[in-house]
Each structure stands twice: as C-alpha cells, then as structure tokens.
C-alpha cells in the first residue's frame, strides 16, 4: 500500500520534501506524496523577499540592520493599528468588507502553501475547485446571515425571497456540483495528491471561513464585541513581546523558543487590565454598543438603540477584603475579564499551532504581504480561536434567541402547533403576571420590539 | 461497490482480501523489508467456518458469489430486524456504524503515516470523536426532548451551556494536540490532525443527519437507504446482463447500461416501497418522546403527505393507461426525487471512495464483512444521501420544530414574549383559529 519510496536506492531523497535538509528528519519522510509521478526536491516555499517599500528604505538607510528591522516592524504595526481605527470609523459595512477581504487573502495564502507542498501546479482544476468551494461556503454562510438579519428586506424582494426560502437546497446543490467536478477530475496517476488537496481545501475552509463568519456575527451583536476581542489579542501579542524582551528568561514551549514564561504572565495581567479599561471606554458610546440594525426605509445600517443592561453603570460591592466600598462598573467589564483571560491563556495556543504548522512545512512566514510581519495569516493566527470563543460566549451567556427569527419560525408552523404554542405561551405569561388574569382581560397594544 | 472480482479463481486471494497490491505486487515485500511500516494488515480468509464447509464443494468463483450473496441476505435481514426493534435501537446502530467507519478510516491514516509510534494520536482522534458526538447528540437531545431536559436539573444546566461546554472540551483537545507536537514529527502530526478532522466532518455529521431524518419519521430513514441499496444491486444486475459501455475510468466495472437501468429500476422500486410503507403509522409518524411513560412513541395523525390524494394524469399518460386519475400518496412524488438522487449522485460517493482507495492503494477499507470489505465500503454511497434527504426535508417538507420554537420563546425577555404573543394572536385570529369566545377567555 504505501509504496511511497520503494524505488530501490536513493529512496530517501524523495522525502526531503522541503527546504532545509539541515534536519535529517528521517521520520518525516512519508509526508510528501510525490510517489508515483515525480522526483522530489520540492521547490522551497520562496523565502520572503525584501519588499519593504522604497521610501522606508531610504528613510532608514543610515541605521544598522537590526534597528532597521525594529523600525520597519514598528512602523508597520502603527500603520496597521491606524488602519484598524479607520475602518472602525467607517462603519459596519466597511468592516464586513474588510473581514471578507482578509478571509480571502488568508485562504489564498494557505492554499498557495498547499500547492507548493504538493506541487500541484500541473493540476489546473485545483485552483478553480478550491476557489469554487470558497465561493460556495461563503454563499451559504452569507445567505444564512442575510436571511437572519435582513428578514424584512428579504421578504420584500421576490427573487431574494425565493433564494432565501430554498437557500440550503441551493447551497447544497452548488456544493454537490463542486464535489462531482472533483470526482470527474480525478486523474489516474495523481489520485493521492488530489485527495490531499481536497482535504487541505476543506480544512482551510473549516478554519478560515467559519471563523470569519463568526467574526461577522459577533459584529452584528455590537461593534464592541468585535473590537474588544481583537484588541485584546493584539495587546497580548505586544505586551508579551515587551515583557519577554525586558524580563524574559524561562522558555515557555519548545515550539516557539522566543516565548518566555515572564512574557506570558506579564502579558496576561497587562491584557486583563487593558481589556478592563478599553471596555470602560467603549461601553459609553452607542455606536459601539448597539446591535447593528438595518433600517429598511433608509436602506442604511443604523447603530442606535437603548443600551442593554450590560452597558449601564451598576454598583458593585467590593469584597470586604479589599475595601468596604462600592464601585461603579459596566457589567460588560466583568465579561471583558473573561475575554482577556481567554485571549492571553488560550490565544497563544493558536499561535503555537501556526508555529508548528510553519515548522512542519518548513516555511518562515505564510507569505510576505506585510513587510516585517509576514503574511496576513501570521497576524491573525492568534485571533483564530478568539472569534469562536467570543461567539460561543455570547451565545451561552449573553444573547437570547433573536425575536424576529422566532416569530418567523412560529408563523411557519402548522396551525395546530401554533395554537398549542399560543396556549403554552399565554399560560406562561399569565403566570409571570405579564398578562392580566382571565376575567379582567382587555386588549393590549403590542409593545415594540427592541 | 464491487471493485473486486478481477482475479477470478485460481488466485490465492480470497474474495474479500484487502491486500493492497492492486497494481504492483512488489510493494508488500518491499515495504516489509524496508522500514517495516505496518501496513493495513493482510487479511486472512475469515469467512465463517460454517460457510466454508457448506461451500467447500464449489469452485472458488461460485464460492465468491455465494459468500457475497449470503452476506447480502444477512445484512438485509438484519436491516429489517433493527427496523422492527424501533427507534432507539436504530440510533444505537447508527452510532455503532459511525464509530466503526471512523475507526476504519483513522486506521488507514495511521497505516499511511506510520503513526504507530505516536500513541497520542489514537487518544486524540478518539477524544475528538467523543467531543463532536457529544456536541451533536446534545443538540439533538435538547431539540427533541425538551421537556425531559427541563425537568432534570443537571440536564438543564448541561443543555443551557451546551455549546460552551462542547467548545471547552474541543479546546482541551486542541491544546493537547499543540502540546504533543514532537520535534521531528510535525508534519505527520499535522497531517493526522487534518485527517481526523476531515473524517469527523464526513462521518460524524452524516450520521447525525441520518438521526435527524429518523426523527422526522422512520420512512425518511428507510426509503433513502433502501433506494441506495436497490440502486447498488440493480446497477450491478443490469451491468452484469447488459453491460457494455464503460462509465468512468475510475471504476472500470461500471457501465452506462447499469447506470441507466439502475436509475429506472430504483425509481420504480422507490415508488412501490413508499406506497407500501406510507400506509403504516409506525413508519410515517415523527418519533416522539412521551414524558409520562418515558418511552418513545410513534403515534400521530399522518400528515397530508401520507394521505391518499387523487392526481389527474397528464393527457399523454391518460391515453396510455386509460386512467383519468390515480390515487397516490404525495410522498411517492417525493420518493421519485429521492430515488433520482440516489441513482445519479449516489454513485459519485462510490467513485469518491474508489478514488480514495486507489489513491492509498487499498483494496477495501477493512475486512469486517466477509465478501464485502469494511463497513465503509457498504456505506460509501449513503454518504451523500443522508445529507440530501436532510436538506430536502428542511427545504421542502418540514417547517420548524415546535419544541425548539417553544424553547426559544421561553428564553426571550418578557417584553419580547409579549410582543410575539400579540403578533401570534393577531395571526391566529385572522386565520379564524381563535374563535371569539376563546379570545375573550385567553
């Protein structure tokens, strides 16, 4: 079965799949499936070339290369952070577009690595199929989001209504078409490669696309649920680096030799404090706190509402051990502590995963899009788990179901079921005193939905 | 599908041997000499002794036929038996099949990657299987057994924070994976991680969709599976008797005649089978859990899908058969769609599995079933069918699940509940479901 390298002598050259044969990784052999078709000597994933913009180069000519490196990284960090502020200012639509762009770029970076590792250049179908699957999965997710949040708009337009009603079926049909094309494109000598690429594409979709959609769903909950987690991860990155730089001594994990325990713990505490303060700052503005709503009349997104109780200052009694006082806090700040803890403690595992991945495939960076920092994936590897955690956190502890959606489902039931639910609901409301008891019942005007 | 059979009598291999030397006989000895990677173990002849004795007289080719035939009969009888046993048993069987399929695929992955000396991987793979199953079963149980869950305190907490708990469990596995990365084995470990996840995606989600279909009504479980089995058998028969034009390079034994004949035969079979089954409540009613008796019950008023209605035949059929109207169950029309999918798309699942086996140079996934290979071999065409049926039901048949809607309703805030209450009341009154008397009392 595994006739990978049985070509008589010289079998071992096959596997040195990749760049540095410094590591005589004997066991790593079977990695490359280049068995039947070709000899290996995989093209190395090209080392990131020097693509710092020319103006920066000129400005920093005078400095020694080590400082130049720091300056470039610093300048680019500031540039990215400013970019972040700018897109927040521009509003939800821009944010969605940026998230989508980042997602596409990450997908492309990972797929490119896969192509190089498997040297699939001679299988042109694969690029097409991978992009096709990306489009399908995005269509599925965006369709679900749109149907949820823009229910009113969708109901109005006839083609949109049709598309939304049969949305799952259409998405499935599109996916199936891609699946059949894959099966029909299997070429005799390249089976294993093709299956690997198929799996690579699917795992990448699983990682990249679902994350980005969770990010967008968090965004719709309120921009603060988007900004605070991302800022926490960025802050943890920077703080852990600084603490490690100044105080670092004990290595943290073999996988990333530059990480230290001092950096880890220092980063944890400073991130918690940072998150706490940032939450305090942002929770005051309706722009950040309100769920993104779509106003059907003006065709615009609105972020206006009555802030929920999470974002209203409340009194908390400090435990007696500290002081016998009360403080005024936003409840959201308590939640931010949990988000910060996760970002500092578990977030780094996403980074280790990416480091392990890069070592496994012997690449230094995912790509060289950002000078000094590597590819987009390099910046977003720790965000990977944070978005999912935030989404699960919101789903479990904060948000209830969406009332519009519940009503929509109710109206889709059979009349008998609607009746039974009606009775259940009326007795429930009556118990809680929301409905006056039977005898004195008078019609009440419907209260507006939040 | 039937990939074997190219070696007729005389060859040493038994019909179900899953030796890997499809193309190059040399690989076996070579690999053994070389690094001694444990391959997918050479399967010995494990036909039960009793069958061997009974068939000892026949030549090996006929023996092959008999073994396959008997096992086919055995599997079909077993299928009937578990249907008779009811929904709980069916769920257990689906779970067992899923675990076995998962184990078969992971085993192949291990053999391909020689991961035997990375003991963490078995544990991690099984751990991930457990996590994902916990997540899916938890969602199913919460949806369908809402009242039961609300009653028991520990269950209620588990169900309220279900997603969070599942995510925490998954994260633990993820962190263990990262911590288990060993310096020289990074690539292997990432490959196994990816392999595990893709297998979970394929096998576990499918099995849960099957269970969802089952809860819709056992007929939604039985008819699709039977259509795929029928298509398998009919395509084989037609190919055997009339086969001439090859269908696809991937599976040289498939023919166009088999494909088309199988299509028509399956459609007819589907129509007849649904006619037979739609008459019984046992098959047609959604599976529900009775809180008082703590048992599953399948008792209800059959929905309009399962009531005979008259259909007017189009003109050309009228002249052909002389009937003006036919009495059909609407479900039979749906079964045509299901059969069509099973005949046209189901084979693609089979081709996918054939390609996979060729890619990794294995003959069968395992040798669990004598004559047929592993469990995955039998279920490779079912792969797409379950998803299709689930999507079909969601899009064309079923509305939302009432108990889930109640659950969500009760989780809303009071003012939102009141708003919905009033909207619902208006809606029901408009449709005349709430007579004025009831309205006054409501």
């Amino acid at each position: 079965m595994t006739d990978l390298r049985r070509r008589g002598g010289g079998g071992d050259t096959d596997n040195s799949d990749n760049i540095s044969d410094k590591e005589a990784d004997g066991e790593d052999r079977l990695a490359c499936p280049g068995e039947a078709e070709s000899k290996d000597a995989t093209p190395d994933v090209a080392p990131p070339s020097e693509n710092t913009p020319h103006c920066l180069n000129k400005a920093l000519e005078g400095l020694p290369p080590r400082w130049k490196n720091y300056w470039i990284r610093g300048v680019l960090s500031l540039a990215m952070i400013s970019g972040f502020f700018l897109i927040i200012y521009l509003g939800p639509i821009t944010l969605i577009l940026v998230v989508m762009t980042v997602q596409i770029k990450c997908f492309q970076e990972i797929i490119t690595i896969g192509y190089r590792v498997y040297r699939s250049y001679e299988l042109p179908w694969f690029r097409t199929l991978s992009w096709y699957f990306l489009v399908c999965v995005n269509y599925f997710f965006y369709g679900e989001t749109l149907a949820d949040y823009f229910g009113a708009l969708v109901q109005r337009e006839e083609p949109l209504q049709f598309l939304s009603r049969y949305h799952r079926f259409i998405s499935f049909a599109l996916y199936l078409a891609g699946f059949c094309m894959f099966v029909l494109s299997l070429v005799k000598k390249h089976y294993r490669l093709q299956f690997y690429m198929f799996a690579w594409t699917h795992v990448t979709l699983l990682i990249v696309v679902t994350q980005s959609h969770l990010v967008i769903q968090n965004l719709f909950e309120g921009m603060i649920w988007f900004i605070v987690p991302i800022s926490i991860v960025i802050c943890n990155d920077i703080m852990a680096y600084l603490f490690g730089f100044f105080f670092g001594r004990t290595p943290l994990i073999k996988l990333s030799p530059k990480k230290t325990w001092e950096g880890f713990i220092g980063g944890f505490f400073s991130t918690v404090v940072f998150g706490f303060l940032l939450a305090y700052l942002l929770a005051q503005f309706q722009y950040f706190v309100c769920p993104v709503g779509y106003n059907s009349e003006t065709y615009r997104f609105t972020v206006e509402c009555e802030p929920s109780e999470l974002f209203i200052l409340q009194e908390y009694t400090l435990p007696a051990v500290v002081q016998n006082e009360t403080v005024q806090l936003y409840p959201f700040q308590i939640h931010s502590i949990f988000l910060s803890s996760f970002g500092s403690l578990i977030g780094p595992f996403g980074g280790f995963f990416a480091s392990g991945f890069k070592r496994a495939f012997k690449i230094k960076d995912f790509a060289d899009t950002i000078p000094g920092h590597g590819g987009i994936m390099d910046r977003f590897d720790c965000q990977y788990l944070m978005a999912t955690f935030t989404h699960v956190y919101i789903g479990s502890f904060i948000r209830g179901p969406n009332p519009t959606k519940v009503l929509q489902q109710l109206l889709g039931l059979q009349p008998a079921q609607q009746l039974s639910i009606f009775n259940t609901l009326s007795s429930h409301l009556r118990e809680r005193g929301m409905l006056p008891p039977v005898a004195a019942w008078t019609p009440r005007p419907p209260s507006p939905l939040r | 599908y039937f990939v074997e059979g190219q070696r007729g009598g005389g060859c040493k291999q038994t019909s179900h041997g899953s030796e890997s030397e499809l193309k190059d006989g040399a690989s076996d000895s070579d690999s053994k000499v070389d690094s001694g990677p444990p391959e997918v173990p050479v399967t010995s002849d494990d036909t039960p002794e009793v069958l061997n004795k009974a068939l000892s007289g026949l030549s090996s080719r006929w023996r092959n036929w008999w073994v396959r035939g008997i096992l086919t009969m055995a599997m079909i009888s077993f299928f009937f038996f578990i249907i008779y046993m009811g929904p709980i048993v069916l769920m257990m069987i689906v779970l067992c099949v899923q675990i076995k399929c998962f184990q078969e695929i992971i085993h192949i992955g291990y053999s391909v990657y020689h991961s035997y000396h990375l003991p963490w991987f078995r544990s991690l793979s099984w751990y991930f299987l457990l996590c994902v199953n916990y997540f899916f079963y938890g969602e199913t149980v919460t949806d369908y057994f809402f009242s039961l869950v609300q009653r028991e305190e520990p269950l209620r907490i588990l169900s309220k924070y279900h997603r969070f708990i599942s995510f925490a469990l998954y994260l633990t596995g993820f962190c263990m994976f990262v911590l288990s990365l060993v310096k020289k084995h990074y690539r292997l470990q990432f490959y196994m991680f990816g392999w595990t996840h893709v297998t979970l995606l394929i096998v576990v989600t499918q099995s849960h969709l099957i269970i969802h279909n089952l809860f819709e009504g056992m007929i939604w479980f039985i008819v699709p599976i039977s259509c795929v089995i029928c298509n398998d058998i009919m395509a084989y028969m037609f190919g055997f008797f009339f086969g001439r034009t090859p269908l696809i390079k991937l599976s040289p034994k498939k023919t166009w005649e088999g494909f088309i004949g199988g299509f028509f035969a399956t459609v007819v079979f589907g129509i007849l089978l649904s006619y037979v089954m739609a008459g019984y409540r046992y098959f047609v009613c959604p599976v529900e859990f009775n809180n008082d008796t703590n048992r599953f019950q399948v008792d209800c008023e059959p929905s309009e899908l399962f009531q005979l209605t008259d259909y007017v035949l189009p003109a050309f059929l009228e002249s052909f058969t002389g009937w003006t109207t036919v009495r059909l169950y609407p479900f039979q029309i749906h079964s045509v769609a299901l059969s069509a999918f099973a005949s046209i798309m189901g084979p693609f699942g089979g081709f996918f599995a054939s390609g996979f086996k060729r890619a990794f140079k294995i003959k069968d996934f395992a040798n669990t079933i004598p004559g047929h290979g592993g469990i995955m071999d039998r279920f490779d065409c079912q792969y797409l069918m379950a998803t299709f049926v689930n999507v079909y039901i969601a899009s064309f048949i079923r509305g939302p699940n009432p108990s889930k809607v109640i659950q969500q309703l009760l989780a809303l805030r009071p003012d939102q509940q009141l708003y919905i209450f009033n909207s619902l009341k208006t809606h029901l009154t408009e449709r005349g479901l709430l007579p004025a008397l009831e309205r006054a009392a409501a």
Side-chain angles (χ1 to χ4, degrees), chain A residues 185-434:
Chain A
S185 77
L186 288 173
V187 178
K188 203 168 153 110
K189 285 202 173 300
H190 300 284
Y191 290 147
R192 194 182 289 218
L193 233 95
Q194 293 181 290
F195 272 93
Y196 278 144
M197 285 313 297
F198 186 77
W200 189 289
T201 305
H202 278 67
V203 173
T204 309
L205 285 172
L206 195 71
I207 295 178
V208 172
V209 179
T210 49
Q211 296 298 308
S212 77
H213 279 275
L214 294 178
V215 168
I216 290 183
Q217 293 209 341
N218 296 346
L219 184 78
F220 272 94
E221 218 30 51
M223 305 232 287
I224 200 174
W225 291 104
F226 172 79
I227 297 169
V228 167
I230 291 185
S231 313
I232 283 175
V233 173
I234 295 175
C235 168
N236 187 58
D237 253 2
I238 297 174
M239 287 299 161
Y241 179 74
L242 288 175
F243 273 86
F245 186 75
F246 289 117
F247 307 113
R249 219 160 325 180
T250 338
L252 181 59
I253 189 173
K254 282 197 300 291
L255 204 48
S256 295
K258 305 195 94 195
K259 304 273 189 298
T260 57
W261 274 101
E262 289 82 9
F264 186 68
I265 295 179
F268 170 67
F269 283 110
S270 49
T271 306
V272 169
V273 170
F274 171 79
F276 199 74
L277 296 174
L278 181 70
Y280 181 77
L281 259 182
L282 291 181
Q284 300 163 16
F285 299 94
Q286 270 192 5
Y287 183 67
F288 296 123
V289 152
C290 291
V292 176
Y294 184 74
N295 194 330
S296 315
E297 283 90 49
T298 63
Y299 289 109
R300 293 175 62 91
F301 284 96
T302 55
V303 271
E304 268 188 24
C305 65
E306 267 315 301
S308 82
E309 50 209 24
L310 265 186
F311 303 102
I312 300 179
L313 280 171
Q314 289 180 7
E315 301 266 339
Y316 287 92
T317 343
L318 285 178
V321 63
V322 179
Q323 247 179 356
N324 232 338
E325 251 183 36
T326 60
V327 282
Q328 284 221 335
L329 289 179
Y330 293 101
F332 180 72
Q333 292 181 273
I334 316 284
H335 291 297
S336 80
I337 295 182
F338 290 108
L339 294 179
S340 314
S341 312
F342 182 85
S344 320
L345 297 174
I346 312 279
F349 277 91
F352 300 151
F353 187 83
S355 294
F357 182 85
K358 287 190 277 193
R359 273 163 204 266
F361 296 99
K362 297 203 177 46
I363 53 181
K364 185 180 174 305
D365 284 320
F366 280 92
D368 55 2
T369 320
I370 310 176
H373 287 270
I376 301 267
M377 262 315 276
D378 288 295
R379 289 301 91 214
F380 283 86
D381 53 16
C382 300
Q383 305 280 359
Y384 164 45
L385 291 171
M386 192 73 201
T388 316
F389 176 76
T390 311
H391 190 259
V392 172
Y393 190 85
I394 294 177
S396 300
F397 299 111
I398 314 280
R399 175 184 63 177
N402 184 6
T404 326
K405 193 169 182 187
V406 176
L407 188 57
Q408 197 180 341
Q409 288 181 324
L410 255 186
L411 297 176
L413 286 173
Q414 307 274 336
Q417 296 166 323
Q418 287 177 344
L419 209 52
S420 84
I421 290 183
F422 178 78
N423 292 325
T424 316
L425 187 59
S426 57
S427 54
H428 175 83
L429 286 176
R430 206 168 299 134
E431 273 171 36
R432 280 158 136 251
M434 299 289 300

Side-chain angles (χ1 to χ4, degrees), chain A residues 40-237:
Chain A
D40 301 295
T42 323
D44 302 342
V45 178
S49 50
E50 186 60 49
N51 69 349
T52 332
H54 198 62
C55 52
L56 269 182
N57 262 336
K58 273 228 182 87
L60 305 168
E61 282 178 327
L63 303 164
R66 187 162 173 236
W67 281 106
K68 192 164 155 204
N69 187 22
Y70 278 125
W71 270 104
I72 292 178
R73 285 187 74 101
V75 168
L76 260 304
S77 300
L78 285 177
M80 290 195 288
I81 293 177
S82 323
F84 186 43
F85 286 154
L86 178 69
I87 60 178
I88 290 174
Y89 174 72
L90 287 178
I93 291 282
T94 319
L95 274 170
I96 293 179
L97 288 175
V98 169
V99 168
M100 195 158 152
T101 314
V102 166
Q103 172 206 114
I104 293 178
K105 193 72 181 64
C106 287
F107 184 79
Q108 191 229 341
E109 283 177 9
I110 299 184
I111 293 289
T112 311
I113 293 175
Y115 282 154
R116 292 217 181 98
V117 173
Y118 293 115
R119 295 165 318 105
S120 317
Y121 290 134
E122 65 260 19
L123 293 166
W125 269 107
F126 276 96
R127 290 180 195 269
T128 320
L129 272 177
S130 301
W131 288 109
Y132 178 79
F133 281 127
L134 178 69
V135 168
C136 281
V137 179
N138 266 323
Y139 174 76
F140 172 67
F141 277 121
Y142 274 101
E144 297 258 325
T145 314
L146 281 180
D148 278 355
Y149 287 101
F150 303 131
L153 172 68
V154 166
Q155 291 301 91
R156 239 183 354 202
E157 309 282 340
E158 186 52 37
L160 283 186
Q161 199 191 20
F162 176 77
L163 280 182
S164 123
R165 223 192 124 188
Y166 298 109
H167 178 252
R168 290 199 173 185
F169 193 76
I170 295 172
S171 311
F172 184 63
L174 288 176
Y175 176 81
L176 267 191
F179 182 83
C180 294
M181 290 198 301
F182 168 72
V183 171
L184 292 173
S185 77
L186 288 173
V187 178
K188 203 168 153 110
K189 285 202 173 300
H190 300 284
Y191 290 147
R192 194 182 289 218
L193 233 95
Q194 293 181 290
F195 272 93
Y196 278 144
M197 285 313 297
F198 186 77
W200 189 289
T201 305
H202 278 67
V203 173
T204 309
L205 285 172
L206 195 71
I207 295 178
V208 172
V209 179
T210 49
Q211 296 298 308
S212 77
H213 279 275
L214 294 178
V215 168
I216 290 183
Q217 293 209 341
N218 296 346
L219 184 78
F220 272 94
E221 218 30 51
M223 305 232 287
I224 200 174
W225 291 104
F226 172 79
I227 297 169
V228 167
I230 291 185
S231 313
I232 283 175
V233 173
I234 295 175
C235 168
N236 187 58
D237 253 2

